[in-house]
Amino acid sequence: MKIQPECLPCLLKRILFETELSTKEKKRQTTSLRTACTLLAESYNPEECSATIATKIHKGVYETLQDKDPYMELKHISNLIALSLVPKIEGLIRTSSDPLKTSMICSIIGNIMDFGIDGSSKHPQILEDIFDTLYAEGLGYDDYQKLKNLLKNTTHLVLFTDNCGEIVFDKILCRELKHFNPTVHITAVVKGEPILSDATVEDAQKIKLHEVVDTLYTTGCFAVGVDFHKLPVEVISALKNADMIIAKGMANYESFSETTFKPTAYLLRTKCNAIARSMNLPRNISAIKLYE
């Protein structure tokens, strides 16, 4: 997805959030915000992918803050909150007529675990507060049946994860994918370096994601979404061999929508107007949208 005009204030709002999260020193906050504004002025190009520009801005801010992971504590709390909801989700799956679909809906609800932008969580505890409401809402856009039909014959699936907290529910989704199609080989891909609230290999290992997937790779670098120019060769190979890709969250959509990798199923909350418009979906819904 190309960057949209409304992406600029959203990006700066997130920068302000992470700057205040990282330090209480006003001078360092000011320097970091100046860095962001300078980089944004230099990098803004309506023909450039929004995730690519966001990566440049966040990289500069992290370096100015001298903080490799401003979201560390929020990520830890997010996983704890999500883990506390696992018994509830297991109950929903156990009584569901379609456990795979139920696990997908729960995984998408986890996508609200995002911080510093409109339409996302203000704090990790919000997942507990609104889980039941979002589950009752169900899917606002539903390509599940088409996706399910493809998954029956999928042999190699690649799942790109998104946020901490959410990844706890992704683990349950991967388990249910295996129950649905025991022969499928699942490759999960997490971030190569800490970026925003996204899950890294360390985060994945803490929740033992490796227990339910066949292979666990990383994107190999610091990037919002996916930097396809820096993807490790093994991930590129997995993508080329995949007969299904599942991409969680908005940043992965921003990145993958610039490629020809298909079929790709996006599982996400449409948290902003730019993404909703690009996907031709309403804002603030849970969506499974398949591009074949």
Side-chain angles (χ1 to χ4, degrees), residues 230-243:
K230 295 181 180 178
L231 268 187
V233 292
E234 60 268 23
V235 181
I236 292 291
S237 177
L239 282 171
K240 289 180 177 178
N241 291 326
D243 35 22

Side-chain angles (χ1 to χ4, degrees), residues 63 84 143:
E63 290 173 352
S84 74
D143 272 343

Side-chain angles (χ1 to χ4, degrees), residues 215-287:
T215 312
L216 180 62
Y217 289 143
T218 84
T219 57
C221 68
F222 181 102
V224 175
V226 182
D227 185 340
F228 291 95
H229 299 293
K230 295 181 180 178
L231 268 187
V233 292
E234 60 268 23
V235 181
I236 292 291
S237 177
L239 282 171
K240 289 180 177 178
N241 291 326
D243 35 22
M244 175 57 64
I245 299 164
I246 293 179
K248 294 294 305 295
M250 297 195 306
N252 282 327
Y253 168 77
E254 292 172 60
S255 302
F256 268 97
S257 61
E258 294 284 305
T259 74
T260 58
F261 289 115
K262 290 178 182 176
T264 299
Y266 298 102
L267 276 60
L268 48 72
R269 291 284 302 178
T270 53
K271 292 172 282 195
C272 77
N273 289 330
I275 296 288
R277 185 171 61 246
S278 177
M279 299 185 76
N280 195 27
L281 296 174
R283 184 176 175 180
N284 289 329
I285 63 165
S286 294

Side-chain angles (χ1 to χ4, degrees), residues 155-222:
T155 57
H156 290 86
L157 182 150
V158 180
L159 169 69
F160 279 76
T161 67
D162 194 19
N163 302 308
C164 284
E166 179 179 359
I167 198 174
V168 173
F169 301 165
D170 293 340
K171 179 183 177 182
I172 298 173
L173 168 59
C174 288
R175 184 197 69 198
E176 293 304 315
L177 285 165
K178 286 283 192 177
H179 287 169
F180 177 73
N181 179 355
T183 64
V184 67
H185 181 286
I186 300 178
T187 297
V189 184
V190 296
K191 290 297 187 291
E193 296 181 25
I195 172 71
L196 305 176
S197 56
D198 292 0
T200 63
V201 70
E202 291 81 11
D203 301 310
Q205 288 169 343
K206 285 177 183 176
I207 66 153
K208 300 182 179 180
L209 181 62
H210 54 275
E211 293 182 344
V212 295
V213 301
D214 299 283
T215 312
L216 180 62
Y217 289 143
T218 84
T219 57
C221 68
F222 181 102

Side-chain angles (χ1 to χ4, degrees), residues 7-26:
C7 296
L8 277 67
C10 182
L11 181 53
L12 288 174
K13 184 175 182 178
R14 171 110 69 175
I15 295 296
L16 176 60
F17 177 84
E18 70 193 34
T19 298
E20 294 178 341
L21 197 63
S22 174
T23 180
K24 302 303 179 187
E25 295 178 22
K26 293 299 182 182

Side-chain angles (χ1 to χ4, degrees), residues 112-123:
I112 68 164
M113 300 298 276
D114 205 354
F115 305 100
I117 59 171
D118 292 335
S120 66
S121 306
K122 290 181 172 60
H123 50 79

